[in-house]
Amino acid sequence: MTERLTSSHADITRAAAILRAQGLIAFPTETVYGLGADARDGRAVARIYAAKGRPSFNPLIVHVADAQRARALGKWSDAAQALADAFWPGPLSLVLPLRKDAGLSDLVTAGLQSVAIRVPAGDLAQDLLRAFDGPIAAPSANPSGRISPTTAAHVLAGLEGRIDAILDGGACGVGLESTIIGLTGAVPTLLRAGGVPREAIEAQLGFALAHPESSMISAPGQLASHYAPNARMRLDAKDWREGELTLGFGQMECDLNLSESADLLEAAANLFGHLHLLDAMDGAQIAVAPIPQTGLGAAINDRLGRAAAPR
Ligand code: TXA
Ligand code: MG
């Protein structure tokens, strides 16, 4: 069952409690409805992918109440300050270098060393962020491959019964996703066109935005800068070979186990963290036990396949 919640104080408090209990809340922002989870909790974030049926783990936008909270997550710069001053709260996301002490689940950043952050302008989004008092990871609240929802009815048509609750705030004003600006390289880069026009951003910065290598970023799973370990990867390993670092699933002997109880939610939450840990052990090869291709297993296998791809 998906609870219907309103903008009342009691319902906002209820929504924040659901987030604290690793639940999923759809909530309106000024752009589109987001599907929110506690961005610090891997299992909660894994549920987002399960509910959306996303075929791969793409990094998610982290929503915070104000720029001060954003600064605790990403490394700040003059450009970040200028854009935050001009456009936050509002339909702009900034991709910043991830701070080591950010405390985010690495499922949110898909194991990258950067994080997309946004301060939404919608009243209900702000009320929820302040009641929860923490970062909320939220992609658009639609099943994977379907169009983004701008009303509560759109959300329920796609996700009824798959999410804990929806905060109904009527129709979204902007109706288009946020503009995403990359601030991790030498020049600010337009990664996705959206609610804030590029001209407005360039006027604020006083120079032109760079273009990404290609416009790959909006297509799920197409992100160029996927996390890839230094070690070679051997997937679907039914036994372990001499000298390998081993990543297990289910009851077995191994260096690290994605989930001893073969729970795909737990495996998803552990995936990037475990790969990072194994990679830090400096072995030549990482072997990974077979992961079932059902439910979240599809996204886990997709991401393992990318990590194993020749480069
Ligand atoms: O308006 C919006 O931005 C909505 C509302 C809910 O806030 N959210 C949204 O999220 O559109 P989503 O997950 O549908 O799109 C997130 C986009 C993806 O294209 C993803 O690749 C990109 O943000 N992204 C997230 N983190 C990134 C990072 N560290 N580097 C590059 N791109 C990133
Ligand atoms: Mg989307």
Side-chain angles (χ1 to χ4, degrees):
M1 269 299 295
T2 298
E3 281 179 51
R4 267 67 159 179
L5 300 174
T6 68
S7 58
S8 73
H9 181 71
D11 279 4
I12 299 278
T13 304
R14 168 83 189 129
I18 290 171
L19 287 175
R20 274 183 215 110
Q22 299 185 316
L24 293 185
I25 300 278
F27 64 99
T29 77
E30 78 280 34
T31 60
V32 300
Y33 274 74
L35 181 56
D38 183 344
R40 299 162 298 197
D41 188 300
R43 286 182 71 95
V45 176
R47 290 209 164 97
I48 291 179
Y49 291 95
K52 282 180 69 94
R54 260 203 188 180
S56 71
F57 296 122
N58 242 25
L60 304 176
I61 296 173
V62 177
H63 298 68
V64 291
D66 52 40
Q68 191 194 326
R69 287 175 169 88
R71 295 177 76 136
L73 305 177
K75 291 190 187 129
W76 210 243
S77 59
D78 290 346
Q81 187 66 46
L83 294 178
D85 283 345
F87 301 110
W88 278 356
L92 178 76
S93 297
L94 299 179
V95 176
L96 303 174
L98 178 66
R99 279 180 62 131
K100 282 207 161 42
D101 59 354
L104 298 173
S105 148
D106 42 27
L107 204 50
V108 168
T109 55
L112 298 174
Q113 293 306 310
S114 58
V115 58
I117 310 175
R118 168 163 124 74
V119 175
D123 287 346
L124 223 48
Q126 279 288 333
D127 289 347
L128 179 64
L129 282 164
R130 288 179 192 282
F132 178 56
D133 195 25
I136 300 178
S140 49
N142 50 289
S144 180
R146 305 261 289 275
I147 53 172
S148 293
T150 54
T151 66
H154 293 163
V155 174
L156 289 168
L159 297 174
E160 168 89 75
R162 302 173 67 88
I163 61 178
D164 297 292
I166 177 165
L167 273 171
D168 189 344
C172 302
V174 176
L176 187 75
E177 280 106 335
S178 61
T179 302
I180 305 181
I181 302 295
L183 295 178
T184 56
V187 195
T189 303
L190 180 67
L191 297 177
R192 179 176 78 182
V196 179
R198 98 177 267 147
E199 293 81 357
I201 294 167
E202 293 180 336
Q204 199 61 39
L205 289 171
F207 53 83
L209 290 166
H211 280 287
E213 310 290 87
S214 66
S215 55
M216 71 292 165
I217 191 144
S218 52
Q222 298 289 292
L223 198 71
S225 46
H226 279 311
Y227 171 68
N230 293 314
R232 273 192 315 279
M233 305 270 299
R234 185 169 72 86
L235 306 184
D236 209 25
K238 293 175 184 76
D239 50 25
W240 303 141
R241 295 178 191 163
E242 188 67 33
E244 285 180 328
L245 295 167
T246 57
L247 183 59
F249 178 80
Q251 289 289 331
M252 61 181 67
E253 293 229 334
C254 50
D255 293 310
L256 288 176
N257 201 320
L258 287 170
S259 170
E260 277 181 32
S261 59
D263 171 2
L264 288 167
L265 207 64
E266 182 181 22
N270 284 332
L271 178 65
F272 292 107
H274 280 17
L275 283 176
H276 276 290
L277 285 173
L278 288 172
D279 210 24
M281 293 177 197
D282 270 341
Q285 181 154 299
I286 298 170
V288 187
I291 314 286
Q293 186 62 18
T294 51
L296 274 179
I300 295 172
N301 284 322
D302 169 84
R303 192 39 54 114
L304 285 168
R306 289 169 197 284
R311 65 195 98 95

